[in-house]
Amino acid sequence: GQQLNQSPQSMFIQEGEDVSMNCTSSSIFNTWLWYKQDPGEGPVLLIALYKAGELTSNGRLTAQFGITRKDSFLNISASIPSDVGIYFCAGQRNSGGSNYKLTFGKGTLLTVNP
Amino acid sequence: SQTIHQWPATLVQPVGSPLSLECTVEGTSNPNLYWYRQAAGRGLQLLFYSVGIGQISSEVPQNLSASRPQDRQFILSSKKLLLSDSGFYLCAWSHPGGGYGYTFGSGTRLTVV
């Protein structure tokens, strides 16, 4: 089946530093999404990307949909303690019918030291 | 607006006991519904998904089952829990037309003792 390779698995950074994480796939996706999961909560959608080459920002977050449609990255600028959590990438293929299953990466665990 | 409710938030159950976790969605019709399990706070494993009432697809063989008795209700069940069923269970929904990702519930922390 389809797999997403998300890296790094974990990051330990100092408050104020910038963060970058990415996902790659051997398959093409029509949509790339980035989620954040706070401890003990469900993942929450941060950014959705719908077009190859698209670059989208949401506050201190910036994400890009790779030109080949097989990769995406997420950058966080000037990290703060509340950025702590697990970040998941997800790819979606419009495979027809009424089911559009997401393929998730294994997550990047981010720790921010104040 | 659409909302998703999942309960209970935490559950401690003895081995061999039954399980029923419930998820309901409001503000949309004919959603796609999903059950995920997350072990040790890491990867998301898709357990079941449903595209309509009574339509359940299982992704992995396991001790659990799912049912969708109503359009916006999704239930995860087990007749006899195993220790290995412990984990964080997440329900999610998506538009039937797709393309907008999933919205997750707040999760249920299940501990089987």
Side-chain angles (χ1 to χ4, degrees), chain A residues 1 3 8 20 29 31-32 35-37 39 42 44 46 49 55 57 60-61 63 69 86 89 100 107 109 113:
Chain A
Q3 288 189 341
S20 184
F29 289 102
T31 302
W32 281 93
Y35 287 84
K36 183 198 176 192
Q37 184 180 26
V44 173
L46 297 174
L49 303 156
L55 183 70
S57 294
R60 293 178 297 106
L61 307 178
R69 294 197 284 162
I86 302 176
C89 64
Y100 294 88
L109 176 61
N113 296 316

mmCIF file of all heavy atoms in Angstrom, chain A residues 1 3 8 20 29 31-32 35-37 39 42 44 46 49 55 57 60-61 63 69 86 89 100 107 109 113:
data_model
loop_
_atom_site.group_PDB
_atom_site.id
_atom_site.type_symbol
_atom_site.label_atom_id
_atom_site.label_comp_id
_atom_site.label_asym_id
_atom_site.label_seq_id
_atom_site.Cartn_x
_atom_site.Cartn_y
_atom_site.Cartn_z
ATOM 1 N N GLY A 1 0.813 -1.199 0.000
ATOM 2 C CA GLY A 1 0.000 0.000 0.000
ATOM 3 C C GLY A 1 0.848 1.250 0.000
ATOM 4 O O GLY A 1 2.072 1.214 0.041
ATOM 5 N N GLN A 3 2.705 4.515 1.273
ATOM 6 C CA GLN A 3 3.351 4.888 2.508
ATOM 7 C C GLN A 3 3.897 6.290 2.382
ATOM 8 O O GLN A 3 4.322 6.719 1.304
ATOM 9 C CB GLN A 3 4.491 3.921 2.821
ATOM 10 C CG GLN A 3 4.027 2.543 3.250
ATOM 11 C CD GLN A 3 5.160 1.701 3.764
ATOM 12 O OE1 GLN A 3 6.310 1.987 3.502
ATOM 13 N NE2 GLN A 3 4.841 0.653 4.478
ATOM 14 N N PRO A 8 11.923 14.651 10.470
ATOM 15 C CA PRO A 8 12.499 13.641 11.345
ATOM 16 C C PRO A 8 11.431 13.003 12.228
ATOM 17 O O PRO A 8 10.314 13.493 12.293
ATOM 18 C CB PRO A 8 13.498 14.446 12.181
ATOM 19 C CG PRO A 8 12.868 15.791 12.282
ATOM 20 C CD PRO A 8 12.191 16.024 10.958
ATOM 21 N N SER A 20 11.769 22.564 10.631
ATOM 22 C CA SER A 20 11.362 22.091 9.317
ATOM 23 C C SER A 20 11.173 20.579 9.348
ATOM 24 O O SER A 20 12.006 19.865 9.892
ATOM 25 C CB SER A 20 12.409 22.464 8.263
ATOM 26 O OG SER A 20 11.963 22.070 6.979
ATOM 27 N N PHE A 29 -0.060 12.297 -4.733
ATOM 28 C CA PHE A 29 -1.266 12.664 -3.998
ATOM 29 C C PHE A 29 -1.864 13.937 -4.583
ATOM 30 O O PHE A 29 -1.147 14.795 -5.073
ATOM 31 C CB PHE A 29 -0.954 12.868 -2.515
ATOM 32 C CG PHE A 29 -0.651 11.581 -1.794
ATOM 33 C CD1 PHE A 29 0.648 11.219 -1.507
ATOM 34 C CD2 PHE A 29 -1.672 10.733 -1.421
ATOM 35 C CE1 PHE A 29 0.932 10.027 -0.853
ATOM 36 C CE2 PHE A 29 -1.407 9.548 -0.755
ATOM 37 C CZ PHE A 29 -0.101 9.194 -0.487
ATOM 38 N N THR A 31 -3.909 15.899 -2.692
ATOM 39 C CA THR A 31 -4.015 16.826 -1.565
ATOM 40 C C THR A 31 -2.989 16.433 -0.515
ATOM 41 O O THR A 31 -2.818 15.243 -0.254
ATOM 42 C CB THR A 31 -5.429 16.770 -0.934
ATOM 43 O OG1 THR A 31 -6.411 17.090 -1.922
ATOM 44 C CG2 THR A 31 -5.552 17.751 0.220
ATOM 45 N N TRP A 32 -2.333 17.454 0.035
ATOM 46 C CA TRP A 32 -1.448 17.220 1.177
ATOM 47 C C TRP A 32 -1.990 18.008 2.355
ATOM 48 O O TRP A 32 -2.441 19.149 2.202
ATOM 49 C CB TRP A 32 -0.021 17.691 0.872
ATOM 50 C CG TRP A 32 0.777 16.737 0.042
ATOM 51 C CD1 TRP A 32 0.899 16.752 -1.313
ATOM 52 C CD2 TRP A 32 1.592 15.650 0.504
ATOM 53 N NE1 TRP A 32 1.725 15.735 -1.721
ATOM 54 C CE2 TRP A 32 2.163 15.038 -0.624
ATOM 55 C CE3 TRP A 32 1.880 15.135 1.769
ATOM 56 C CZ2 TRP A 32 3.016 13.937 -0.532
ATOM 57 C CZ3 TRP A 32 2.726 14.038 1.859
ATOM 58 C CH2 TRP A 32 3.287 13.454 0.725
ATOM 59 N N TYR A 35 -1.294 18.054 10.113
ATOM 60 C CA TYR A 35 -2.054 18.062 11.356
ATOM 61 C C TYR A 35 -1.104 18.220 12.534
ATOM 62 O O TYR A 35 0.051 17.808 12.486
ATOM 63 C CB TYR A 35 -2.802 16.737 11.543
ATOM 64 C CG TYR A 35 -3.998 16.520 10.649
ATOM 65 C CD1 TYR A 35 -3.847 16.024 9.363
ATOM 66 C CD2 TYR A 35 -5.282 16.799 11.103
ATOM 67 C CE1 TYR A 35 -4.950 15.816 8.550
ATOM 68 C CE2 TYR A 35 -6.390 16.585 10.300
ATOM 69 C CZ TYR A 35 -6.216 16.089 9.024
ATOM 70 O OH TYR A 35 -7.313 15.877 8.224
ATOM 71 N N LYS A 36 -1.644 18.781 13.621
ATOM 72 C CA LYS A 36 -0.926 18.816 14.887
ATOM 73 C C LYS A 36 -1.770 18.147 15.958
ATOM 74 O O LYS A 36 -2.980 18.405 16.043
ATOM 75 C CB LYS A 36 -0.613 20.245 15.322
ATOM 76 C CG LYS A 36 0.215 20.290 16.617
ATOM 77 C CD LYS A 36 0.165 21.647 17.283
ATOM 78 C CE LYS A 36 0.917 21.589 18.609
ATOM 79 N NZ LYS A 36 0.672 22.772 19.443
ATOM 80 N N GLN A 37 -1.119 17.308 16.765
ATOM 81 C CA GLN A 37 -1.807 16.642 17.854
ATOM 82 C C GLN A 37 -1.184 17.071 19.183
ATOM 83 O O GLN A 37 -0.010 16.798 19.439
ATOM 84 C CB GLN A 37 -1.725 15.124 17.710
ATOM 85 C CG GLN A 37 -2.499 14.367 18.768
ATOM 86 C CD GLN A 37 -2.402 12.864 18.609
ATOM 87 O OE1 GLN A 37 -1.436 12.351 18.060
ATOM 88 N NE2 GLN A 37 -3.410 12.137 19.086
ATOM 89 N N PRO A 39 -0.920 16.704 23.283
ATOM 90 C CA PRO A 39 -0.993 15.516 24.139
ATOM 91 C C PRO A 39 -2.408 15.236 24.625
ATOM 92 O O PRO A 39 -3.085 16.138 25.131
ATOM 93 C CB PRO A 39 -0.056 15.882 25.301
ATOM 94 C CG PRO A 39 0.912 16.847 24.701
ATOM 95 C CD PRO A 39 0.127 17.645 23.705
ATOM 96 N N GLY A 42 -7.166 14.843 19.942
ATOM 97 C CA GLY A 42 -7.155 14.397 18.570
ATOM 98 C C GLY A 42 -6.374 15.355 17.689
ATOM 99 O O GLY A 42 -6.215 16.527 18.022
ATOM 100 N N VAL A 44 -5.459 18.037 14.879
ATOM 101 C CA VAL A 44 -6.194 19.177 14.355
ATOM 102 C C VAL A 44 -5.530 19.625 13.067
ATOM 103 O O VAL A 44 -4.302 19.720 12.993
ATOM 104 C CB VAL A 44 -6.206 20.333 15.383
ATOM 105 C CG1 VAL A 44 -6.826 21.580 14.776
ATOM 106 C CG2 VAL A 44 -6.961 19.921 16.636
ATOM 107 N N LEU A 46 -3.897 21.786 10.389
ATOM 108 C CA LEU A 46 -3.171 23.054 10.369
ATOM 109 C C LEU A 46 -3.255 23.719 9.009
ATOM 110 O O LEU A 46 -3.577 24.901 8.895
ATOM 111 C CB LEU A 46 -1.691 22.819 10.715
ATOM 112 C CG LEU A 46 -1.372 22.269 12.098
ATOM 113 C CD1 LEU A 46 0.120 21.976 12.192
ATOM 114 C CD2 LEU A 46 -1.798 23.236 13.181
ATOM 115 N N LEU A 49 -3.201 21.648 1.389
ATOM 116 C CA LEU A 49 -2.608 22.063 0.125
ATOM 117 C C LEU A 49 -3.261 21.286 -1.005
ATOM 118 O O LEU A 49 -3.342 20.056 -0.940
ATOM 119 C CB LEU A 49 -1.097 21.791 0.144
ATOM 120 C CG LEU A 49 -0.326 22.456 1.275
ATOM 121 C CD1 LEU A 49 0.957 21.707 1.573
ATOM 122 C CD2 LEU A 49 -0.005 23.904 0.911
ATOM 123 N N LEU A 55 2.223 27.106 -2.076
ATOM 124 C CA LEU A 55 2.884 27.476 -0.826
ATOM 125 C C LEU A 55 1.863 28.229 0.007
ATOM 126 O O LEU A 55 1.319 29.239 -0.438
ATOM 127 C CB LEU A 55 4.103 28.365 -1.103
ATOM 128 C CG LEU A 55 4.947 28.776 0.098
ATOM 129 C CD1 LEU A 55 5.714 27.580 0.653
ATOM 130 C CD2 LEU A 55 5.927 29.890 -0.303
ATOM 131 N N SER A 57 0.661 29.744 3.961
ATOM 132 C CA SER A 57 1.066 30.119 5.316
ATOM 133 C C SER A 57 -0.149 30.255 6.222
ATOM 134 O O SER A 57 -1.234 30.626 5.777
ATOM 135 C CB SER A 57 1.831 31.444 5.301
ATOM 136 O OG SER A 57 3.056 31.295 4.626
ATOM 137 N N ARG A 60 2.706 31.459 11.875
ATOM 138 C CA ARG A 60 4.128 31.099 11.810
ATOM 139 C C ARG A 60 4.382 29.810 11.040
ATOM 140 O O ARG A 60 5.519 29.365 10.937
ATOM 141 C CB ARG A 60 4.659 30.959 13.236
ATOM 142 C CG ARG A 60 4.692 32.260 14.018
ATOM 143 C CD ARG A 60 5.185 32.063 15.466
ATOM 144 N NE ARG A 60 4.288 31.216 16.231
ATOM 145 C CZ ARG A 60 4.556 29.956 16.555
ATOM 146 N NH1 ARG A 60 5.692 29.390 16.196
ATOM 147 N NH2 ARG A 60 3.690 29.241 17.257
ATOM 148 N N LEU A 61 3.341 29.220 10.508
ATOM 149 C CA LEU A 61 3.464 27.958 9.774
ATOM 150 C C LEU A 61 3.463 28.225 8.276
ATOM 151 O O LEU A 61 2.692 29.048 7.784
ATOM 152 C CB LEU A 61 2.303 27.030 10.097
ATOM 153 C CG LEU A 61 2.018 26.739 11.563
ATOM 154 C CD1 LEU A 61 0.794 25.849 11.693
ATOM 155 C CD2 LEU A 61 3.208 26.098 12.221
ATOM 156 N N ALA A 63 3.673 25.786 4.621
ATOM 157 C CA ALA A 63 3.750 24.451 4.047
ATOM 158 C C ALA A 63 3.733 24.547 2.534
ATOM 159 O O ALA A 63 3.169 25.493 1.969
ATOM 160 C CB ALA A 63 2.575 23.588 4.523
ATOM 161 N N ARG A 69 4.240 16.362 -6.734
ATOM 162 C CA ARG A 69 3.070 15.863 -5.977
ATOM 163 C C ARG A 69 3.400 14.662 -5.109
ATOM 164 O O ARG A 69 2.499 13.958 -4.631
ATOM 165 C CB ARG A 69 1.886 15.536 -6.909
ATOM 166 C CG ARG A 69 1.319 16.755 -7.592
ATOM 167 C CD ARG A 69 -0.052 16.489 -8.148
ATOM 168 N NE ARG A 69 -0.025 15.695 -9.372
ATOM 169 C CZ ARG A 69 -1.069 15.042 -9.864
ATOM 170 N NH1 ARG A 69 -2.205 15.056 -9.229
ATOM 171 N NH2 ARG A 69 -0.954 14.362 -10.973
ATOM 172 N N ILE A 86 2.762 16.376 18.360
ATOM 173 C CA ILE A 86 3.108 15.498 17.246
ATOM 174 C C ILE A 86 2.508 16.089 15.974
ATOM 175 O O ILE A 86 1.313 16.404 15.925
ATOM 176 C CB ILE A 86 2.567 14.067 17.452
ATOM 177 C CG1 ILE A 86 3.106 13.475 18.755
ATOM 178 C CG2 ILE A 86 2.961 13.183 16.275
ATOM 179 C CD1 ILE A 86 2.521 12.103 19.067
ATOM 180 N N CYS A 89 1.901 14.493 8.661
ATOM 181 C CA CYS A 89 1.534 14.808 7.287
ATOM 182 C C CYS A 89 0.523 13.761 6.833
ATOM 183 O O CYS A 89 0.459 12.662 7.390
ATOM 184 C CB CYS A 89 2.754 14.808 6.378
ATOM 185 S SG CYS A 89 3.567 13.205 6.223
ATOM 186 N N TYR A 100 -12.473 8.750 0.356
ATOM 187 C CA TYR A 100 -11.202 9.406 0.083
ATOM 188 C C TYR A 100 -10.303 9.196 1.285
ATOM 189 O O TYR A 100 -10.145 10.062 2.126
ATOM 190 C CB TYR A 100 -11.438 10.900 -0.177
ATOM 191 C CG TYR A 100 -12.234 11.156 -1.429
ATOM 192 C CD1 TYR A 100 -13.613 11.188 -1.396
ATOM 193 C CD2 TYR A 100 -11.602 11.340 -2.647
ATOM 194 C CE1 TYR A 100 -14.346 11.421 -2.545
ATOM 195 C CE2 TYR A 100 -12.316 11.579 -3.801
ATOM 196 C CZ TYR A 100 -13.693 11.615 -3.745
ATOM 197 O OH TYR A 100 -14.411 11.845 -4.884
ATOM 198 N N GLY A 107 4.511 10.637 11.929
ATOM 199 C CA GLY A 107 4.537 11.742 12.882
ATOM 200 C C GLY A 107 5.925 12.222 13.240
ATOM 201 O O GLY A 107 6.900 11.463 13.211
ATOM 202 N N LEU A 109 7.594 14.164 16.462
ATOM 203 C CA LEU A 109 7.390 14.612 17.841
ATOM 204 C C LEU A 109 8.283 15.828 18.086
ATOM 205 O O LEU A 109 9.507 15.735 18.027
ATOM 206 C CB LEU A 109 7.725 13.501 18.820
ATOM 207 C CG LEU A 109 7.653 13.849 20.302
ATOM 208 C CD1 LEU A 109 6.256 14.287 20.697
ATOM 209 C CD2 LEU A 109 8.117 12.682 21.157
ATOM 210 N N ASN A 113 12.178 23.557 24.126
ATOM 211 C CA ASN A 113 12.712 23.927 25.440
ATOM 212 C C ASN A 113 12.640 25.437 25.625
ATOM 213 O O ASN A 113 13.150 26.182 24.799
ATOM 214 C CB ASN A 113 14.155 23.457 25.582
ATOM 215 C CG ASN A 113 14.280 21.952 25.536
ATOM 216 O OD1 ASN A 113 13.491 21.245 26.155
ATOM 217 N ND2 ASN A 113 15.251 21.456 24.806
#
